[in-house]
Amino acid sequence: PLTMKKMLFFALSVIVSLSVFTSCGSDDDDDSPVVGKWVYAKSTIDVKTNDQDVTDAIKEYLEENLLPTYKNTVYEFYNDGKLVYYYKDQSPQQTTYRLDGDRLIIPSTAEYMGYFFINNEVIHKIDLTEGVTDDFLEEYLGIADPESIEVEKTVIEIYYKR
């Protein structure tokens, strides 16, 4: 005969056995935190030279000639390591990525560029210090005596958000 004790034991056994086979979520859910579509949020330009007028001219040149491209760039990161990026009104480009700590490793990135994932933002850092040569200062900025200019730093950081 089934006693109340046996019925209670049986009911508890069923509940315990069901809870062992029930999961709260997928164990293989290893989505990368960068997965998704990222668009321009803000940017900073950090320039340091020995001449304030030249510093301002470099910043202005970069704001007018380089930043518009990055402001119109969209990045789409996929969980399988695929990265698709495109400039609005242009066809998409595809490459791969991997996340190593806070550094986004993108194989097709030039040495002077770096990508980072910090505080839930994708940050594209471009160090152009070596690229601001005497020829650049003379040809693009019209500096008559570029040899007198010391460029200590020219770094752009572009922030993207989901």
Side-chain angles (χ1 to χ4, degrees):
L2 283 175
T3 64
M4 186 59 116
K5 228 182 213 185
K6 286 183 180 178
M7 285 178 57
L8 187 56
F9 176 76
F10 179 74
L12 285 173
S13 297
V14 168
I15 291 170
V16 168
S17 65
L18 285 175
S19 66
V20 168
F21 294 104
T22 304
S23 171
C24 294
S26 173
D27 292 338
D28 59 357
D29 187 16
D30 59 346
D31 283 351
S32 169
V34 298
V35 168
K37 184 185 273 190
W38 296 81
V39 296
Y40 176 85
K42 65 182 178 179
S43 57
T44 62
I45 300 176
D46 188 8
V47 178
K48 187 173 182 184
T49 72
N50 61 337
D51 183 308
Q52 188 59 48
D53 290 337
V54 174
T55 297
D56 293 342
I58 292 171
K59 282 184 180 180
E60 184 179 325
Y61 179 86
L62 295 173
E63 285 172 356
E64 292 176 2
N65 296 287
L66 187 66
L67 275 183
T69 298
Y70 291 102
K71 286 180 177 181
N72 289 308
T73 301
V74 176
Y75 292 93
E76 290 187 54
F77 293 90
Y78 293 87
N79 203 38
D80 63 357
K82 179 173 77 171
L83 167 60
V84 175
Y85 61 96
Y86 52 93
Y87 313 105
K88 293 179 181 161
D89 303 328
Q90 292 187 2
S91 59
Q93 305 292 315
Q94 184 174 320
T95 188
T96 60
Y97 79 95
R98 68 182 170 83
L99 193 57
D100 184 11
D102 67 350
R103 190 167 178 83
L104 273 168
I105 310 298
I106 301 173
S108 59
T109 302
E111 287 181 17
Y112 58 89
M113 292 188 193
Y115 288 86
F116 302 90
F117 182 70
I118 302 171
N119 297 328
N120 210 26
E121 290 182 300
V122 169
I123 303 167
H124 183 183
K125 185 175 181 178
I126 308 169
D127 187 342
L128 296 171
T129 305
E130 298 296 319
V132 182
T133 62
D134 290 350
D135 288 342
F136 172 85
L137 294 171
E138 189 173 16
E139 184 176 339
Y140 292 98
L141 301 182
I143 307 296
D145 185 20
E147 296 84 16
S148 67
I149 304 300
E150 295 173 26
V151 179
E152 293 177 39
K153 183 189 228 181
T154 305
V155 177
I156 301 171
E157 290 185 347
I158 304 140
Y159 296 81
Y160 294 89
K161 65 180 181 180
R162 275 190 253 243

